[in-house]
Amino acid sequence: MEAPTPGEVRLDVNGVEHRLPVDDNALLLDVLRDRLRLTGAKRSCDVQVCGACTVLVGGEPVSSCCFLAQDARGRQVQTIEGFAAEPGFPAVAEAFARHNAFQCGYCAPGFLMTLKPLLARGALRSRADVEREFAGNLCRCTGYRAIVDAICEAAGVEP
């Protein structure tokens, strides 16, 4: 594929390459939701404190509400839609369902996208690890206990 033209960005999102005209200040969240119709990442705080807009860029969680689409060039972007298509996702989703971890589900994609690389690295070894790693993810519906319990189960950690 030829090089993008000025004002255009080439993004690899969930394994699919997209070429899109975007403004230099276009946020990744807006490109994902408005241009690619990937609506799993949610707009909430717009200042990187709630986690609802979390996606993976280069395998690491980022707040897409404050991440420029141009900065994702040449890096793989994964949204909850991409994670949900992976073979390991059902086990994680079942752990959250068993613990009734989410009520409205608005924050769920952010929690799950934060969890994915932590599981891959085996970074969650205790409940304290879970509580520390998810301190930046907010849920307005639950008391967090069920969410932390579900994450512990998914990570094979004693709740």
Side-chain angles (χ1 to χ4, degrees), residues 66-118:
C66 295
F67 195 92
L68 294 175
Q70 295 283 350
D71 290 340
R73 287 177 303 180
R75 302 164 74 189
Q76 292 183 338
V77 176
Q78 187 176 43
T79 67
I80 190 66
E81 292 89 351
F83 183 25
E86 292 183 1
F89 184 80
V92 173
E94 287 169 18
F96 279 83
R98 256 191 305 284
H99 290 275
N100 195 26
F102 297 120
Q103 290 178 21
C104 79
Y106 197 83
C107 65
F111 274 94
L112 294 167
M113 294 312 291
T114 301
L115 177 59
K116 185 181 187 237
L118 294 168

Side-chain angles (χ1 to χ4, degrees), residues 3-115:
T5 60
E8 184 178 64
V9 67
R10 185 185 310 161
L11 296 174
D12 176 341
V13 181
N14 298 329
V16 177
E17 190 167 294
H18 301 272
R19 289 177 64 143
L20 304 161
V22 297
D23 293 334
D24 288 343
N25 64 346
L27 297 173
L28 183 57
L29 178 63
D30 296 328
V31 171
L32 293 172
R33 290 182 60 81
D34 300 339
R35 303 293 299 287
L36 300 180
R37 301 290 182 226
L38 296 169
T39 58
K42 305 295 191 244
R43 180 175 304 285
S44 183
C45 71
D46 281 329
V47 291
Q48 295 181 295
V49 297
C50 74
C53 68
T54 302
V55 299
L56 303 182
V57 176
E60 292 301 316
V62 302
S63 295
S64 63
C65 70
C66 295
F67 195 92
L68 294 175
Q70 295 283 350
D71 290 340
R73 287 177 303 180
R75 302 164 74 189
Q76 292 183 338
V77 176
Q78 187 176 43
T79 67
I80 190 66
E81 292 89 351
F83 183 25
E86 292 183 1
F89 184 80
V92 173
E94 287 169 18
F96 279 83
R98 256 191 305 284
H99 290 275
N100 195 26
F102 297 120
Q103 290 178 21
C104 79
Y106 197 83
C107 65
F111 274 94
L112 294 167
M113 294 312 291
T114 301
L115 177 59

